[in-house]
Amino acid sequence: MGSQPHDPQPMPVPATAAGREGLEALLRAPRRAVIALDFDGTLAEIVPDPDQARAHPDAVPALAELAPRVDAVAVVTGRPAGVAVRHGGFAGIPGLEHLVVLGHYGAERWDAVTGIVRAPAEHPGVAAVRAELPGFLDAIGAWRGTWIEEKGQALAVHTRRAEDPAAAFEALREPLAELAARHGLMVEPGRAVLELRPPGMDKGVALTEFLTERGAEAVLYAGDDLGDLAAYSAVEKRRADGLPGLLVCSGSAEVPELAARADLVLPGPAAVSAFLARLARALRD
């Protein structure tokens, strides 16, 4: 009998017992497992202009190889679902016929089966903040180096282009929180970005609802940002209830809180894509 071909990318080993149990459960019964992933910073590199963000070239092929071998694959993102689909290049890909994209932290949903985005009516506070935000930033002297991203169901203020992005971020935290509160919104902090959005949904809620919908018996969640902490908490809660889970951090020195809670830290979207491809090969073999 011939020997098996050598895999050039051996499976990374989670650093925690819970993570190892989660990975083993996924490999043992993949048809009952859910793979859930953030988009920006996890499947796509962080870039100065979010409109230019695209999925890593290896991400979609890896997902297309992996998806038919597990129960479900979902992209859970703060972006509008339709934007994530376009920037990810997810539509019409063989192998991704059942992909789900949960956009706006789960408020929107795109299913590859229908190609349709389901979204709620716009929160009135978003329209009010949209009108007020440019003058608000100008009045507090924060316009220089910051810019507003229109997200449909939310608005984001980016500081990455400021002379001191971290200082600009901290200076805006409290004023934007007060503005959001006046209009019934909340502020979601991220990597050099503060997003003003309606309350009630986060990645933890979205992931929990999806796991319940699928009747999952194992879960892998990968993220890179503060917004992913809610999804981490959801997986940790489900693990306490007996559902094996693996938490992956697409590593960044910008968000040490996430890396500290992860079972497996990978250095960015290229490594995440390679890990997904390795997982698909392990399930195929």
Side-chain angles (χ1 to χ4, degrees), residues 5-283:
H6 174 67
D7 191 331
Q9 296 175 318
M11 184 76 74
V13 178
T16 67
R20 292 190 291 274
E21 181 183 349
L23 179 58
E24 289 165 5
L26 194 161
L27 293 170
R28 185 171 59 249
R31 299 292 183 182
R32 304 303 303 159
V34 165
I35 307 291
L37 311 113
D38 173 45
F39 184 72
D40 291 283
T42 303
L43 294 177
E45 297 286 355
I46 296 292
V47 294
D49 181 357
D51 284 340
Q52 302 304 312
R54 297 294 183 270
H56 188 277
D58 296 335
V60 171
L63 287 174
E65 182 75 12
L66 179 60
R69 294 177 166 83
V70 298
D71 177 61
V73 172
V75 175
V76 188
T77 175
R79 283 186 182 267
V83 171
V85 171
R86 290 194 301 274
H87 288 196
F90 299 133
I93 301 297
L96 296 183
E97 293 88 352
H98 298 280
L99 178 73
V100 172
V101 175
L102 303 175
H104 278 304
Y105 302 89
E108 293 186 349
R109 177 168 175 154
W110 175 88
D111 290 273
V113 172
T114 63
I116 294 172
V117 174
R118 287 182 285 155
E122 182 181 79
H123 189 289
V126 174
V129 168
R130 181 180 293 116
E132 187 175 343
L133 192 53
F136 178 85
L137 292 174
D138 192 43
I140 65 173
W143 188 255
R144 184 178 179 83
T146 64
W147 60 283
I148 300 168
E149 181 188 1
E150 172 60 61
K151 302 184 75 171
Q153 300 282 342
L155 295 144
V157 178
H158 292 261
T159 67
R160 192 170 294 276
R161 297 175 187 168
E163 184 175 343
D164 186 338
F169 178 91
E170 291 302 325
L172 281 171
R173 267 184 182 266
E174 187 173 337
L176 288 180
E178 293 173 356
L179 173 66
R182 287 207 309 271
H183 297 289
L185 304 180
M186 61 171 287
V187 172
E188 181 79 45
R191 292 167 64 176
V193 61
L194 293 156
E195 183 171 317
L196 293 80
R197 65 179 180 86
M201 284 298 292
D202 60 36
K203 290 185 179 182
V205 173
L207 180 60
T208 297
E209 291 180 351
F210 190 72
L211 294 176
T212 300
E213 172 191 323
R214 302 303 308 181
E217 295 180 7
V219 58
L220 180 158
Y221 184 83
D224 78 305
D225 207 345
L226 292 171
D228 296 302
L229 288 172
Y232 269 38
S233 294
V235 172
E236 289 163 347
K237 182 177 186 306
R238 295 300 293 266
R239 290 201 297 205
D241 294 336
L243 179 77
L246 172 62
L247 293 170
V248 178
C249 176
S250 181
S252 170
E254 292 181 35
V255 192
E257 301 96 324
L258 208 68
R261 287 172 61 176
D263 306 305
L264 178 63
V265 178
L266 300 171
V272 171
S273 300
F275 173 64
L276 296 174
R278 177 64 188 85
L279 194 57
R281 285 196 297 274
L283 297 178

